[in-house]
Amino acid sequence: MTPALASPSPRLATPRALGGVLLLALAAFAVLGPWLIEADPAGQDLGASLAPAGGDYLLGADHYGRSLLARLAHGARLSFGMAFVTMATAAVPGVLLGLAAAWRGGWVERLADLASTIVLALPGLMLVLLLLAFAPGNFGPLYLGLALTLWVEFYHVTRAAAATVLKQPHVEAATLLGFGPGYVLRRHVLPVIAPLIGTLAAFAMATAIIAISTLSAISVGLQPPTPELGSMIVELLPYYAEAPVHVLLPAALIVLLVLGLQLVAQRSSR
């Protein structure tokens, strides 16, 4: 009997399915939560400072009496949105440059390699911090710095994978028969590299979420009262003894976001 080589491994499908369900649940919370939860994430009620879960506050309130449920929903939407925009901004030029370098070679590849080498010469967070120095606490420099750091991975993976595919006999035959770059890329190259790009995209989003939360936690990223998960942890940390669960909630949400992306990004090993 011929084994079904193309069938996905159950050991791989289960974690990826779990990651997909987790991400769908978190995405629904991030997208629908701000509309379903009527509480204002910036609305203060000092009489409800550090209120426990239950009653008027389902997940409790922070030290300013702001609804933690509302702030977590907005924080999840902010993290998802910024991570997706950062990933897309890094993926588009990285993939296009990788395809161009693999197809054309020569000076195109040399220029792209030089640009990627310059970026790699700087530590990733250093590049982000340099841009944040011009406008600390703003979204623009933060997202641009992360995108400039992440595009290199998309470029290198795309160039290597596309170059391998373009050297295969059936692809060379299609080129010799007069099929244009659009046909070759669409029918032969993109189907092969698409899973790799999807995996990179998930890892890039996870990296962006961690970086955004870390920079906000050290007060160089997004600043309070913006409901960002990293800054929420730092704001609540002095009150850990009185309300430990309040501090753990945004941290747990970051872990779940990154965990879901890492599970979805898993690839089968040959």
Side-chain angles (χ1 to χ4, degrees), residues 32-194:
L32 301 178
W35 282 274
L36 297 178
I37 302 168
E38 297 182 357
D40 180 4
Q44 299 183 12
D45 180 8
L46 296 180
S49 177
L50 298 179
D56 294 335
Y57 299 95
L58 187 59
L59 293 180
D62 67 4
H63 53 299
Y64 289 118
R66 299 174 295 194
S67 169
L68 278 178
L69 182 59
R71 291 182 65 77
L72 287 172
H74 282 77
R77 183 173 64 172
L78 181 64
S79 293
F80 256 125
M82 289 186 65
F84 180 81
V85 171
T86 300
M87 177 275 296
T89 305
V92 171
V95 171
L96 292 179
L97 281 174
L99 291 174
W103 183 274
R104 301 286 297 180
W107 66 268
V108 175
E109 184 175 12
R110 288 194 294 271
L111 284 179
D113 283 343
L114 176 61
S116 66
T117 302
I118 292 173
V119 173
L120 289 175
L122 285 173
L125 285 180
M126 180 64 70
L127 181 59
V128 178
L129 292 173
L130 286 175
L131 292 175
L132 278 174
F134 295 98
N138 289 341
F139 167 73
L142 177 59
Y143 128 81
L144 181 60
L146 290 173
L148 287 173
T149 302
L150 294 173
W151 76 269
V152 176
E153 291 295 329
F154 287 95
Y155 165 71
H156 283 297
V157 171
T158 301
R159 185 196 61 178
T164 301
V165 175
L166 291 173
K167 292 177 182 177
Q168 294 181 0
H170 67 284
V171 180
E172 292 181 343
T175 303
L176 292 174
L177 288 172
F179 291 100
Y183 176 88
V184 174
L185 292 175
R186 184 174 65 253
R187 295 297 299 271
H188 298 292
V189 178
L190 292 181
V192 175
I193 70 172

